[in-house]
Structures are given as structure tokens and as C-alpha cells.
Amino acid sequence: MKKDSKIDAVSTFLGHDAAFDGVINFKGTVRLDGRVKGSVISDEGTVIVGDKAMVEADIQVDTVIIKGSVNGKVQAKNRIEAHPPGRIHGELQAPNIS
């Protein structure tokens, strides 16, 4: 019997010199280290906001890990984690917030 495993490796990366304006819709794990403006959406994905990232977006994902700056509404089906030097300005909604 084959066991289902969730892939934790980063599948998509936005570097610190990059900027994106629009909707990011993804599966898997995305790491954002640049500037993002718009929306970040995933039914089962994880988004990692790097420590130098500046995100002005509404985020709707499974899990959010914030180490950078987020300005917007953050909704997670599973959990939201904030780590130093993370900064969040907006509304948070998740069953687990740490």
C-alpha cells in the first residue's frame, strides 16, 4: 500500500529583486522574497513570506509562514505562523495562529 506524502519542498520561488502585481494561484509551496501586490490563493498550498519580502495582498491558503512584511487579509485553513522579524498589518483568520 502506497502512503500519501505531502511535499514540503519549495516548488516556486520569487526572488528578492523580483516584483509581481496580480494573482498568484498555486499548488505546493511558494516562497516569496520580493514584492507582491494583489492576491495569493491556494486550496492546499503553503506560502512562505521571506524576511525581506513586502507583500501587499490578500492571502487565502492552507498554511502561511510569515517572516517578512504582510499588509492585507490573511486566511489560512490550517495555520498562520509569524516569526521575527515578521510584521502583519491586517486581518488574520485561521484555526491556529502562532
Side-chain angles (χ1 to χ4, degrees):
M1 179 181 230
K2 191 174 185 178
K3 183 179 176 183
D4 290 333
S5 63
K6 190 174 184 179
I7 299 173
D8 291 330
V10 174
S11 58
T12 306
F13 179 78
L14 182 73
H16 64 72
D17 288 333
F20 182 84
D21 190 353
V23 177
I24 298 174
N25 195 333
F26 68 95
K27 292 183 181 181
T29 301
V30 171
R31 180 173 174 109
L32 307 173
D33 282 331
R35 293 182 172 271
V36 175
K37 190 172 188 178
S39 299
V40 180
I41 301 168
S42 179
D43 287 333
E44 299 177 5
T46 298
V47 64
I48 302 168
V49 179
D51 60 347
K52 298 198 187 309
M54 296 188 71
V55 177
E56 292 184 41
D58 290 336
I59 300 172
Q60 295 177 331
V61 296
D62 185 61
T63 301
V64 182
I65 301 169
I66 301 170
K67 299 178 182 180
S69 176
V70 175
N71 186 359
K73 185 175 183 178
V74 181
Q75 295 177 291
K77 290 181 183 177
N78 185 17
R79 72 180 187 278
I80 298 171
E81 295 179 19
H83 300 273
R87 294 165 308 283
I88 305 165
H89 302 280
E91 182 180 331
L92 300 177
Q93 183 179 3
N96 296 306
I97 299 173
S98 64

